[in-house]
Amino acid sequence: MRRRITFATIVLLAANATLHAQSAQVGAKDAETLNLSAYAELLRQDVRTLKVAIITEVVGFTEEEDRAFWPIYREYDLEMSRLGDERVALIAEYAKNYASMNDEIADRLAAKALELESRRQELKGQVYQKVKKALSPLTAARFLQVEHQLLLLIDLQIASSLPIAPPAGAGGTK
């Protein structure tokens, strides 16, 4: 198990280093105007390409479990992608409104972010139930742990690239 976690950590660190190298190539002026939605999409795609390998390695499916799991996962991943598309659009809206941020805009964006997170949690609960039924509660819990860790990595990378909303009066109006 320790070898699996180490492998997953190395893969994720390599992806992280690649992303940092890509962002380091952006000049100071370009960094200010970086298209945050494009960055979020790039990050999401990079991690998604590694997810299959990480899930396979860490969860350790048997051949039978493998055949039962991946159709469920593909359906789940498609729905998560749709939610991710909405999140990318929300990030783009945040970036577009950053300079004119006010209470109304901040409230609308925060409400949408919370609603998206709620839908994501609901979807994770649904996939857990499907995997639990098709395989076992233990396997479903192991998958859910790995998925949670991967989503946290994506969330952290995206959050660290977004500027904190400006204080009242700094860019927008109250």
Side-chain angles (χ1 to χ4, degrees):
M1 183 62 159
R2 186 178 297 274
R3 183 174 78 57
R4 289 179 180 160
I5 292 170
T6 302
F7 171 78
T9 303
I10 290 169
V11 169
L12 291 172
L13 287 174
N16 190 27
T18 300
L19 289 171
H20 280 291
Q22 290 169 349
S23 61
Q25 295 172 355
V26 176
K29 183 175 188 228
D30 291 334
E32 293 175 16
T33 59
L34 181 64
N35 183 335
L36 294 175
S37 62
Y39 176 79
E41 180 62 23
L42 174 67
L43 177 64
R44 192 168 54 128
Q45 291 299 326
D46 284 351
V47 173
R48 275 189 16 210
T49 60
L50 299 172
K51 282 178 77 172
V52 171
I54 292 168
I55 290 168
T56 300
E57 181 68 25
V58 176
V59 177
F61 297 116
T62 65
E63 285 184 37
E64 185 178 319
E65 290 173 331
D66 194 66
R67 284 190 298 275
F69 174 78
W70 291 111
I72 295 168
Y73 180 81
R74 281 190 292 276
E75 180 183 319
Y76 161 77
D77 191 49
L78 180 63
E79 290 301 314
M80 285 297 277
S81 292
R82 289 180 181 136
L83 289 176
D85 292 343
E86 289 183 52
R87 186 174 184 199
V88 167
L90 182 64
I91 290 168
E93 186 176 353
Y94 177 80
K96 182 179 116 191
N97 288 290
Y98 184 81
S100 61
M101 189 68 62
N102 60 32
D103 286 344
E104 180 184 330
I105 295 170
D107 185 47
R108 182 173 41 83
L109 295 174
K112 180 65 176 176
L114 290 169
E115 185 256 333
L116 283 171
E117 183 61 29
S118 176
R119 289 171 47 207
R120 184 166 82 164
Q121 289 301 103
E122 183 179 325
L123 183 57
K124 284 169 48 180
Q126 291 169 0
V127 77
Y128 171 78
Q129 292 301 322
K130 289 178 183 180
V131 174
K132 179 176 88 168
K133 184 178 178 184
L135 302 174
S136 74
L138 180 57
T139 302
R142 288 171 59 199
F143 159 70
L144 198 59
Q145 284 179 300
V146 173
E147 179 68 5
H148 178 71
Q149 291 171 355
L150 292 171
L151 290 173
L152 283 174
L153 276 170
I154 294 169
D155 291 347
L156 179 60
Q157 285 292 327
I158 292 171
S160 68
S161 72
L162 293 172
I164 299 296
T173 59
K174 212 168 187 194

